[in-house]
Structures are given as structure tokens and as C-alpha cells.
Amino acid sequence: MPLAVLGALAGYALYLPGAWMYAEAGRYRTDLAHAPRITVGMIFGAGAENGKPSRMLYERLKLGAALYRAGKVRVLLVTGDNSRKDYDEPSVMRDTLIAQGVPQTRIVLDYAGFSTWDSCARAKKIFGVDRAILVTQNFHLPRALTLCRAAGIDAWGVGDDSGRYAATATESLYVREIPAVLKATYEVALRPRPYYLGPREAGIRRALEAAGGD
């Protein structure tokens, strides 16, 4: 078989899972104005340095805060990496949300969101999330929706358009999604155990109790 044909087949094999995820997730993608009212908004980590969120993470948090202020969600679950003492992504996310007017009692932290799959699986198994609005960038949203729905969450998604402020980085991240989607396909098929599972946590329940009847 000619190398060109083999190359074309390999390219198609790489493209197919991403196309499937994009198509499947399309019906669950929405925007702030049309997002359904769901108890939990789930914000994925995207890097922090010196106690400050990266620009992409900041935009995710800003969008999550807007969902809260619009009454679309009542609690925000922030999920990120705290695998070492000098790196605490969830706490940075919490502090940024508080600065944007979200009460601390409405913010729940997942310190072991080491990957998108881990965040989704832990949201379901540890925090008892059944429905959620996912908040992330547009390039990441199809994969996040696919994985959270595979984990058993009735997930909807609102995405930030990072191309408007980081066009070059966004292009490279779309390319990086290709191997990430292949990994996600494996996770959808086999539903592996998260890196760290641990006992169930009552953070969402306590946050809702603090919310009262609003």
C-alpha cells in the first residue's frame, strides 16, 4: 500500500474520535443566556502561578461567576491540581471567584482534579454530582462534555472563546487536543479509576444547605 494512502488512513484514524466527540457534544453546548438552571457549575483548572490564575483559567472563572450571578447555578465546584505543596490550583480558583463576588460558602474545592477524566469521575463518585454545567474553553469543551457524560453526569457546557485574546496559543491547544482525544476515547471505553479517589465528600450538600431556599 502506498505510503500516502497509509498516511491518509492514519490521519483519518486520528481525526475520527475528535469528530465524534465534537458531534456528540454539540447538542449539550450552550451559552450564558441559554444555559439551563442546574445546581452545580463545574470549572476545570487551567494553570496558576504565584497565586494567580492563568489568563485562560481567569476567563473560565469569570464565566463561572457570571453563571452564578445569573442564577444559572447555585454552587461552583472548582477542580484542579494540588499534587504538591507549592502548587494549589483549586485555592487560587476559589480566591479568584470570591474576588468576583461569589460567596465562599458556594464554592467547593476538588484538590485531585489531575485530568479531565479524574475531575469528571470524582465529581460523580466523590461529590455526588448528577447534573452540571461545565465551564472551560471552547477547544476543551467537547472532550470535557464527553468524559463527564461518560462518568454519569448529565452535563451541559458553556465555553470561553480563547481565540479572542490568545489566538496562537489556542491554535496550538486545538492541535494538542488530538492526542488528548485519543486518551479520552480509552477513558470512555474503560472508565478507569481516577488517580486518587478517596471517601465521599459532603461539600456540595453543605454548600446547598448554606444557600437555603434561594
Side-chain angles (χ1 to χ4, degrees):
M1 185 176 292
L3 289 177
V5 175
L6 287 173
L9 289 173
Y12 181 75
L14 289 173
Y15 169 78
L16 193 59
W20 166 70
M21 285 189 188
Y22 189 87
E24 282 293 306
R27 73 189 78 175
Y28 305 112
R29 297 179 64 172
T30 184
D31 58 21
L32 176 62
H34 299 96
R37 294 182 184 273
I38 292 178
T39 301
V40 178
M42 184 173 168
I43 308 176
F44 296 84
E49 187 174 354
N50 299 322
K52 301 293 183 183
S54 68
R55 176 64 190 275
M56 289 193 183
L57 180 54
Y58 177 80
E59 294 295 334
R60 294 181 188 188
L61 295 164
K62 186 168 72 172
L63 184 53
L67 284 166
Y68 172 79
R69 289 193 298 269
K72 300 291 186 175
V73 299
R74 300 174 66 201
V75 175
L76 290 170
L77 172 64
V78 297
T79 173
D81 188 349
N82 181 215
S83 56
R84 60 184 195 271
K85 291 182 179 180
D86 61 344
Y87 189 78
D88 186 353
E89 202 173 32
S91 292
V92 170
M93 296 166 77
R94 175 201 60 206
D95 294 346
T96 304
L97 286 170
I98 291 172
Q100 295 187 28
V102 180
Q104 184 170 346
T105 54
R106 305 298 184 88
I107 305 168
V108 179
L109 281 65
D110 175 12
Y111 292 98
F114 302 138
S115 69
T116 303
W117 170 251
D118 281 14
S119 293
C120 292
R122 283 177 52 80
K124 177 67 175 181
K125 295 181 178 181
I126 302 300
F127 294 93
V129 175
D130 295 316
R131 301 186 74 211
I133 296 179
L134 311 185
V135 183
T136 184
Q137 267 73 41
N138 287 335
F139 63 82
H140 178 230
L141 196 54
R143 179 162 58 94
L145 280 166
T146 300
L147 289 173
C148 276
R149 297 191 73 84
I153 298 172
D154 179 16
W156 295 76
V158 175
D160 166 64
D161 177 17
S162 55
R164 60 191 168 83
Y165 55 83
T168 301
T170 298
E171 289 175 2
S172 67
L173 287 165
Y174 270 109
V175 173
R176 200 181 79 172
E177 278 296 296
I178 295 172
V181 161
L182 294 177
K183 177 175 178 285
T185 303
Y186 155 80
E187 290 163 337
V188 167
L190 299 183
R191 318 284 171 90
R193 179 185 175 90
Y195 180 81
Y196 179 76
L197 199 55
R200 285 183 66 93
E201 296 188 16
I204 299 289
R205 178 179 57 78
R206 287 195 296 265
L208 289 173
E209 289 173 353
D214 67 353

